[in-house]
Amino acid sequence: METFENDYVEAYIYQQSKKGNRDSGDAYYIHSEEDYFICAIADGLGSGTEAKESAEVIPKVLAAYHHESPDDLLLRCNKQMLRKRGAAVGIVKVYFAQKTLEYSCVGNIRLYILQSNGQMIYPLPVMGYLSGRPQTPRAQRYPYNRNDRFFLHSDGVNLRSPKKYLQENSTPYQLYKKIEDTIGDQDDATFIAANLLH
């Protein structure tokens, strides 16, 4: 478990590789500046070393360009996928002053947002994956309030009722522990459970 906490965000990150594989084909990135927080999960196609090579493109690009928008970051990542296997990617960026959460994705990375008023938001997934072929990302934006919670995960995490998990676990740590118990070892699995504190 990796943890991240500042005045605005509390987050817990889980990652596990598929049984029999030394390397995870998933990668993640998490970072904060004074005015924003950004995190991402990438799921390289397949598993093992080649999947890892594709997935690891994403944290490298985000480390250099995290100040850019999620859409621009996806396009940068896509350019780096030529002659690689490809990856599904989801990027969350939280702007503190605007109280806005922005999400851009391609492929089977899923995001769930539970607002403090009990409303659940499921941003629409975008079919496909980053492969170097032309992409037209379309970021989705949502206002957020204090104590809104979000959960970002790769397809190795299989939740039958995401809303129930988010509603019944009032802290990101509780959510982390509860979902950790449900994960098998048949696929690479990565998730980020986070609370927006301000």
Side-chain angles (χ1 to χ4, degrees):
M1 176 172 68
E2 183 183 343
T3 62
F4 176 93
E5 188 169 2
N6 64 15
D7 289 344
Y8 295 94
V9 183
E10 178 187 3
Y12 296 84
I13 304 101
Y14 174 94
Q15 185 166 57
Q16 173 187 282
S17 57
K18 181 178 178 178
K19 185 177 183 180
N21 283 354
R22 191 185 62 183
D23 295 327
S24 173
D26 290 354
Y28 67 88
Y29 178 77
I30 193 160
H31 178 77
S32 191
E33 293 285 329
E34 205 173 291
D35 51 347
Y36 62 82
F37 166 86
I38 186 167
C39 66
I41 291 176
D43 181 352
L45 297 196
S47 60
T49 306
E50 287 186 16
K52 181 183 179 185
E53 283 174 8
S54 291
E56 283 187 337
V57 165
I58 282 69
K60 286 175 185 166
V61 170
L62 268 63
Y65 298 101
H66 51 73
H67 55 280
E68 295 185 354
S69 73
D71 280 354
D72 288 344
L73 289 166
L74 271 185
L75 291 173
R76 280 192 184 276
C77 293
N78 191 47
K79 283 181 186 170
Q80 300 295 318
M81 288 295 167
L82 281 169
R83 292 180 291 282
K84 288 188 171 60
R85 193 182 275 184
V89 181
I91 302 172
V92 173
K93 194 164 187 181
V94 178
Y95 300 93
F96 305 140
Q98 294 91 340
K99 292 245 178 193
T100 301
L101 182 151
E102 194 171 12
Y103 179 59
S104 195
C105 69
V106 176
N108 56 6
I109 306 298
R110 300 304 306 269
L111 174 69
Y112 308 104
I113 305 164
L114 181 66
Q115 297 180 315
S116 50
N117 63 8
Q119 174 133 355
M120 188 83 169
I121 297 172
Y122 303 82
L124 291 172
V126 176
M127 301 303 288
Y129 58 94
L130 298 185
S131 63
R133 292 193 299 271
Q135 296 279 350
T136 309
R138 294 183 186 87
Q140 299 165 74
R141 292 175 188 84
Y142 307 95
Y144 77 85
N145 293 299
R146 184 179 180 187
N147 290 326
D148 283 7
R149 208 154 41 254
F150 73 80
F151 186 77
L152 182 72
H153 71 87
S154 68
D155 68 349
V157 180
N158 187 11
L159 294 185
R160 289 210 177 98
S161 177
K163 186 173 186 177
K164 185 167 177 249
Y165 277 103
L166 268 80
Q167 285 178 331
E168 291 181 355
N169 296 281
S170 59
T171 71
Y173 179 73
Q174 286 175 342
L175 183 61
Y176 176 101
K177 296 303 286 182
K178 189 64 75 171
I179 292 175
E180 181 185 33
D181 291 342
T182 72
I183 294 174
D185 57 8
Q186 299 310 302
D187 198 357
D188 299 324
T190 305
F191 70 75
I192 298 171
N195 235 30
L196 301 172
L197 304 174
H198 281 283

